[in-house]
Structures are given as C-alpha cells and as structure tokens.
Amino acid sequence: MTTSYPILSQDYLAPAPSRGMLGMRRKTRAGQRLPRPHAHQVLVYRVDGSYVVDDGRLPPDDAQVVRATHVSLVDRGSEVPVVVQFTVSSAEASDFTVRATFVCSVTDPVRVVRENVNAHTALLTYLKRYHRLSQMGVGHRMSQVNQVRRAVEGHLRAYTEKRPAMIPGLHATFAAVEVLTPDEVAAFEKALREKHRKHLLDTADQDYTHALATGQDRNVRDRADEDREHRQRIEVETEEHADLVELTRLRRRLRIQEIESEAARLRAAQAVDMIGGDPIKAQIYAHTVGDLGAKELAESMLAQEERRDDARRADEAQRLQWEREDQLRRGREQREDQQRRMAINVEVIQEMAKHGHANLLNIRLERIIAEVTGTPLDELSGPPPAAVGRSAHTEIEASERAVPDDGGEARTGGRVDDDMGLREEDD
C-alpha cells in the first residue's frame, strides 16, 4: 500500500491569467492541469488562508478555484488498508520483521490537508509509543517465530483496544498483524520444505511403484481368476452341451423306437389280418420274416398236424359220446312216455270195468297184454272175458310194478301204438 495516504497529491497553483484585450474578461483555470478526482476522492483548495472542499462540482472559472493557491487530492474511501512495518529484536543478532495492518477512513479532509496527515507515519508513531513492543522478541530465537507471532498479536490487540489511534481527520482500526519469517529461517524452512517435498516425492514414487507392483500382482491374480472362471464356464458349457447332445440322441433313439414299435404294431396288425387266427399261416409268416427256420417250420407244421388229428379224433369221440347219450336220453324219454300212456289206458279200462261198461267197448285186451308183457298174440289162450279182464288187470299191475334194468329200460318187447285198440262199437 502506498505511504501517501490519505493525501494522494499536493500542487501549487499559479495566479490565474487575465483574459481579453484589456484583461477585463473573467479569469479561469481551464487551461491549467488540475487533478481530476475519482468518485471516492475530493479536491481541497486553499483560498485566502481557508480551505474549500470540491467533490468535482466547481467549474474552472469559479471564483474560489481562481483565487486558490494550493490544491490537494484526498482519498475518502471507506476502510482503506494501511500497512505499517517495523522490527522487533530477537535473542540472536537478527531482528523479527512485523507488519501491522489498519483500516482507515477520512472523517475530515480539511483537517487532514491543514495538518498534512500521513497515515503511515502517524500509525508508526502510534505503535512506537508502546515501548514493550520492540522487546517482545528478545527472549526468542529466530526459529521461534511462531511464538513471537502469538505474543505480538496478543499485545497489539490489547494495546489498540485500550488506547485506540487518535489521528486528526482520520479514523483507524487495528485489523491484523504478521511476523515475517527471517531470511535464514526462510532459507532453512525452504530447504526443509524441499527436503520434505523430496521425501514426499520419494515416498509417493515408492508408493506408486509398490502400488504398480501390487496392481500388477493383482492384475495377474485377477487374470488368473478370470482364466479359471473362464475355464470353469467353458467346462460347464461343454458339459451342458454334451448333456444336450446326449438328450437329443436319447430323444432321437426314443423316436426311432417309437417309429419301429409303430411299424411293428402295423406289421403285426397286418399279419393278424393276413393270418386270421390260423397257426399254420402264422408259422409260415414267421418263416417268411426270418423268425423261424425251415426245419423248425416242418417240425412245427408236423406237430400242428398231429395236434389237429388228435383234436379231430377227440372231437369224433366226443361226438359219438354225445350221440350215445342222446340216444339213451331219447329211449328213456320214450319209455317214460309209453309207461304214462299205458298207465292211462289201464286206468281207463279199470274205471270202465268197475262201472260195468266193459261190454260196451271192443277192447283189444290181447294186444295190450302182449304189449305189456311182451308175449306174442298166438301164445295167449282165449279165456272168458271176465278171466281175460282179471288176467289183464293182473298183468297191468305187474307191469306197473316192474323194475327197470340197464339204465331204467323196461323189457316191454316193443312199442305201444299211439292209437290204442280202443274204439267204440255200434250197438
């Protein structure tokens, strides 16, 4: 920061020249080089022993500007920083350099110009009044700059708060303080920093090398793991493919077996339709398809023929047996029928004889007795009718009590005619 604060410049003004032929025109300073203030600056004119403040609104031909003998440019900015630098003794031959910063604001530009205030000089004088300030570093070595910083800052803050700076036309407030690092300390710190940086670089290089090696090892392990996983995945996919191929083959074999089974079923159905239940045809078919040899076919056909002959003979014997049983059954039924008819005829004759009507009928008793007893008609004698009747009755009862022999056959010696010899005679 410049040391010419708050008065930035000061100039002497020569008398304004006359104007016109006779010097009767109004004077002006338009041709002279006057300071041009900025927005935060003002001009202070000294006119006839007094001071006039111009913020840039007075024209060059203004009477006060024309009569002015001096002009000053004053900075009226708010909280302008002003740095004051001084030294503090140390325990060694060198001194500590201290920089104190104040923020300043102009409160009265006329007083500042009249008393020619220099903020830097005024503040340095203000700090020098604190006699202990120069002795703060006596007990510290140059390398103990940090301790000095803390001590100086503490004392300055306490001093500025207890006794603020009193500068005419200017308000100053303590802002900060810093103790500069001495050159030898700075060189040492620089060398130390360089060593530290070099150490950091070496450490970083070692770390990088180690990380690179570790990364390479990790990459090798990762590649090994990836290769192993890839091989395992290939093996799994190969096994799955083999299983799929085997499954496809199994399905193909099952399909072929199904087709062959269907074809065999169709051939069997055709063979059944062609054979029609004939074993000879079946054996011939088996020989045709190769399931039966010629010798086996001949032996099988011979055995089949013998079985057929045996079956025919068994059937014939069964038929004869059935015929004999049928004849015996019919004979038995005929004899039973004959006996029933005979019994009916006898009952009719007995009933008629009982009631005395035998003379009304022409009964062929001889024939009936012959049929019952089996005696020829010529052997029968001719007894009286009553005897004949009794004899007939006796024979009929005997025939009823006759016991059949040989399967129930009665010895009748002949058939009983359906039209018995019964008829009515005309009176």
Side-chain angles (χ1 to χ4, degrees):
M1 186 68 183
T2 180
T3 58
S4 59
Y5 174 81
I7 299 175
L8 303 180
S9 64
Q10 292 178 336
D11 292 324
Y12 171 77
L13 297 178
S18 301
R19 300 175 62 196
M21 294 294 294
L22 300 176
M24 300 297 294
R25 295 185 62 182
R26 188 175 181 177
K27 296 181 180 181
T28 182
R29 293 188 182 278
Q32 297 180 357
R33 297 186 59 182
L34 296 175
R36 301 185 61 181
H38 293 284
H40 62 284
Q41 297 171 352
V42 294
L43 295 176
V44 178
Y45 295 99
R46 190 177 67 179
V47 181
D48 299 334
S50 62
Y51 295 90
V52 177
V53 179
D54 178 18
D55 56 2
R57 289 180 293 182
L58 296 178
D61 57 352
D62 184 83
Q64 293 179 342
V65 175
V66 171
R67 294 198 315 271
T69 58
H70 293 83
V71 61
S72 300
L73 180 63
V74 181
D75 187 352
R76 296 201 63 179
S78 177
E79 295 185 354
V80 177
V82 177
V83 178
V84 180
Q85 181 171 313
F86 57 94
T87 60
V88 175
S89 301
S90 67
E92 298 175 351
S94 300
D95 296 332
F96 293 105
T97 302
V98 181
R99 286 182 180 178
T101 303
F102 294 83
V103 289
C104 304
S105 300
V106 175
T107 59
D108 188 357
V110 173
R111 189 174 180 182
V112 168
V113 172
R114 184 173 55 242
E115 297 186 15
N116 194 23
V117 175
N118 185 293
H120 181 270
T121 304
L123 290 173
L124 182 59
T125 304
Y126 164 73
L127 293 176
K128 291 293 184 180
R129 292 195 187 103
Y130 185 48
H131 64 279
R132 295 184 59 185
L133 184 62
S134 60
Q135 304 298 323
M136 289 180 185
V138 174
H140 297 85
R141 301 175 64 86
M142 296 300 293
S143 59
Q144 297 176 327
V145 63
N146 292 327
Q147 288 85 341
V148 175
R149 287 189 181 113
R150 288 191 292 270
V152 170
E153 182 177 5
H155 280 274
L156 279 182
R157 286 193 180 279
Y159 173 68
T160 55
E161 289 178 2
K162 186 176 181 179
R163 294 182 180 181
M166 304 298 294
I167 302 174
L170 189 68
H171 180 267
T173 304
F174 175 72
V177 64
E178 58 178 336
V179 179
L180 301 181
T181 304
D183 294 340
E184 58 271 23
V185 176
F188 174 77
E189 293 290 338
K190 181 178 179 181
L192 186 62
R193 285 194 300 271
E194 290 179 354
K195 290 286 186 179
H196 181 65
R197 290 194 188 99
K198 186 177 183 302
H199 174 69
L200 291 178
L201 290 175
D202 294 339
T203 303
D205 184 62
Q206 292 177 359
D207 293 340
Y208 177 75
T209 304
H210 177 70
L212 183 61
T214 304
Q216 291 177 353
D217 295 340
R218 187 182 299 110
N219 292 333
V220 171
R221 290 194 300 271
D222 293 342
R223 283 197 297 270
D225 294 339
E226 291 177 358
D227 293 341
R228 184 173 60 258
E229 292 177 358
H230 179 69
R231 288 195 300 270
Q232 292 177 353
R233 186 168 57 253
I234 292 298
E235 291 176 358
V236 171
E237 292 178 355
T238 303
E239 292 178 358
E240 291 178 353
H241 179 69
D243 294 340
L244 181 60
V245 171
E246 183 64 23
L247 180 60
T248 304
R249 291 177 180 174
L250 180 59
R251 289 178 177 174
R252 186 181 297 111
R253 286 198 299 270
L254 292 177
R255 180 59 180 166
I256 292 173
Q257 291 177 359
E258 291 178 358
I259 295 173
E260 291 178 351
S261 299
E262 182 66 19
R265 188 187 65 80
L266 293 176
R267 288 195 300 270
Q270 294 175 358
V272 170
D273 294 339
M274 179 182 67
I275 293 170
D278 190 353
I280 300 299
K281 291 182 179 180
Q283 294 175 0
I284 295 173
Y285 176 76
H287 175 67
T288 303
V289 298
D291 294 338
L292 191 63
K295 182 179 180 181
E296 296 174 351
L297 176 61
E299 293 176 353
S300 178
M301 292 180 67
L302 181 59
Q304 186 67 28
E305 189 63 29
E306 290 177 355
R307 285 194 296 272
R308 283 188 178 182
D309 292 341
D310 294 340
R312 281 195 298 271
R313 286 192 295 271
D315 292 342
E316 184 64 22
Q318 185 67 33
R319 185 183 62 78
L320 294 176
Q321 179 67 23
W322 287 346
E323 287 181 356
R324 284 194 300 271
E325 292 178 356
D326 189 51
Q327 289 178 0
L328 292 175
R329 181 182 55 78
R330 284 199 302 270
R332 185 171 58 254
E333 291 176 354
Q334 288 177 0
R335 287 191 297 273
E336 291 175 356
D337 188 44
Q338 183 179 4
Q339 289 176 1
R340 285 194 300 272
R341 284 197 298 267
M342 183 62 68
I344 292 172
N345 291 336
V346 171
E347 289 178 1
V348 172
I349 294 172
Q350 288 178 352
E351 189 68 26
M352 290 179 67
K354 180 179 180 182
H355 293 284
H357 297 295
N359 56 350
L360 299 178
L361 298 173
N362 185 15
I363 303 174
R364 299 170 63 183
L365 297 177
E366 295 84 359
R367 185 176 178 181
I368 294 174
I369 292 170
E371 290 179 357
V372 173
T373 60
T375 306
L377 291 176
D378 55 356
E379 295 181 1
L380 294 176
S381 60
V388 171
R390 289 192 298 271
S391 177
H393 184 269
T394 302
E395 294 293 337
I396 291 172
E397 290 179 354
S399 65
E400 290 175 355
R401 294 191 297 269
V403 179
D405 55 352
D406 297 333
E409 293 184 359
R411 297 184 182 274
T412 59
R415 298 178 58 190
V416 179
D417 195 0
D418 292 338
D419 50 349
M420 305 295 295
L422 301 177
R423 64 182 183 82
E424 295 182 357
E425 295 182 355
D426 294 337
D427 294 337

